[in-house]
Amino acid sequence: MLQFLNRWSQRRSAWLLMAFGALMPVLGALYFQHILLLQPCVLCIYERCALLGIFGASILAAITPKSPLRYAAIGLWLYSAWKGSELAWRHSSLQQHPSPFATCDFFVNFPAWLPLDEWAPAIFYATGDCSKKQWQFLFLEMPQWLTGIFLVYLLMGILVLFSQFFYQNKTFK
């Protein structure tokens, strides 16, 4: 299996497929926000950023999938999946156990050099409450689904990372 993952990590199509898979939840979130009029909270916006980090890592690796740039992309992928799973877990906890003492921020806190909420407010401006349950599918709320999605990305990223070291680049037909 690791050999298979190593070969696929050197193909542009695999990285583009992952980019598509990371972009779909972001587009779904925008659908929920702008069409179904659900209000995203601060943690929702941060989770979007983590998905966009995975998307960016995929595009970075798709540019030159056989170069060492692939390792930087895998690192960004793992970091984004880890942070995303932490954020989604915290968001799920806030929804499952609401408390006036455990809340999220009122406004997103992007660095001064990257004010995404000012540059693209339709995507990155938060107006909702983190503990409010707005959507449910198959008995799970959106942060619970995202926890699973991020954990799958994290597990796959770890396997791909290990495959880079245990099975060196081999020419395949």
Side-chain angles (χ1 to χ4, degrees):
M1 181 172 100
L2 291 176
Q3 188 174 13
F4 172 78
L5 289 174
N6 183 283
R7 282 186 299 195
W8 270 90
S9 73
Q10 297 178 35
R11 294 187 178 183
R12 184 171 285 119
S13 59
W15 290 105
L16 291 175
L17 180 64
M18 189 170 103
F20 178 77
L23 190 60
M24 286 299 103
V26 174
L27 294 176
L30 292 174
Y31 172 80
F32 284 117
Q33 178 181 352
H34 295 291
I35 305 300
L36 299 181
L37 302 177
L38 300 182
Q39 297 179 344
C41 67
V42 171
L43 290 175
C44 294
I45 299 301
Y46 292 156
E47 291 159 3
R48 274 184 208 178
C49 291
L51 282 166
L52 289 173
I54 295 171
F55 174 78
S58 305
I59 296 301
L60 181 66
I63 293 170
T64 56
K66 294 185 180 189
S67 77
L69 190 61
R70 179 177 78 243
Y71 296 109
I74 293 170
L76 178 59
W77 170 12
L78 288 170
Y79 177 76
S80 296
W82 174 257
K83 291 305 285 184
S85 62
E86 281 183 341
L87 291 164
W89 181 263
R90 180 173 169 228
H91 195 175
S92 295
S93 296
L94 286 173
Q95 284 190 349
Q96 297 302 315
H97 311 289
S99 167
F101 304 108
T103 62
C104 61
D105 297 333
F106 293 113
F107 303 103
V108 290
N109 189 15
F110 290 117
W113 53 270
L114 190 68
L116 294 175
D117 55 332
E118 295 174 14
W119 293 347
I123 300 172
F124 297 109
Y125 189 76
T127 56
D129 179 14
C130 292
S131 62
K132 184 177 179 186
K133 297 178 183 180
Q134 299 184 63
W135 180 85
Q136 184 176 346
F137 179 69
L138 296 177
F139 307 108
L140 297 174
E141 282 83 23
M142 201 171 301
Q144 294 170 325
W145 282 105
L146 283 173
T147 302
I149 290 169
F150 281 121
L151 289 175
V152 167
Y153 274 120
L154 184 61
L155 176 64
M156 289 306 299
I158 291 169
L159 290 173
V160 168
L161 178 66
F162 283 145
S163 76
Q164 304 304 302
F165 299 110
F166 287 112
Y167 294 99
Q168 294 303 316
N169 301 341
K170 295 179 184 176
T171 306
F172 52 92
K173 300 170 185 171

